[in-house]
Amino acid sequence: MALEIKENRGFFEVIGRVTSQNVNVLRAYFDSVLEQNDSIVISIEKVVEMDSSAAHLFEALYKEAPSNKKVVSIIGRQNKEISKIMEATNTDYILSTDRV
């Protein structure tokens, strides 16, 4: 499954595989989005595969946002497909407990 991003008023749904092969494109996309928005919500609930580079990408977006006066919320705690890699990379703390 190819990577797809659906956007609806500041809510971004990432669908498919997020791996080292596409993290640079994803990073450029969200950097561009954050230039135009102060706050975004990224849902990774429909990600079917994630590797460690992708987990660290989402962590970087989450951690860098406050220094740029931005807010990035990431939801996907219920996604069992990615929970193991998020735990293994110690990046699961970025996942919001709230669901939109």
Side-chain angles (χ1 to χ4, degrees), residues 1-4 15-19 22 46-50:
M1 172 182 265
L3 178 66
E4 181 181 355
I15 304 165
R17 291 185 167 100
V18 185
T19 64
N22 57 19
K46 294 185 179 176
V47 170
V48 297
E49 180 184 338
M50 177 184 286

Side-chain angles (χ1 to χ4, degrees), residues 3 5 20-31 57:
L3 178 66
I5 302 170
S20 60
Q21 295 175 349
N22 57 19
V23 291
N24 290 336
V25 171
L26 196 63
R27 177 63 193 232
Y29 176 83
F30 281 116
D31 283 347
L57 161 78

Side-chain angles (χ1 to χ4, degrees), residues 27 30-31 34 42 57-65 72:
R27 177 63 193 232
F30 281 116
D31 283 347
L34 285 167
I42 302 171
L57 161 78
F58 287 115
E59 181 183 38
L61 287 170
Y62 177 83
K63 288 174 70 174
E64 293 168 8
V72 173

Side-chain angles (χ1 to χ4, degrees), residues 85-98:
I85 193 67
M86 297 293 285
E87 289 171 12
T89 56
N90 295 318
T91 56
D92 57 334
Y93 72 93
I94 68 171
L95 298 174
S96 174
T97 56
D98 295 338

Side-chain angles (χ1 to χ4, degrees), residues 5-7 10-14 29-30 33 40-43:
I5 302 170
K6 293 183 180 180
E7 188 268 334
F11 180 82
F12 296 84
E13 188 173 37
V14 180
Y29 176 83
F30 281 116
V33 166
I40 63 171
V41 176
I42 302 171
S43 170

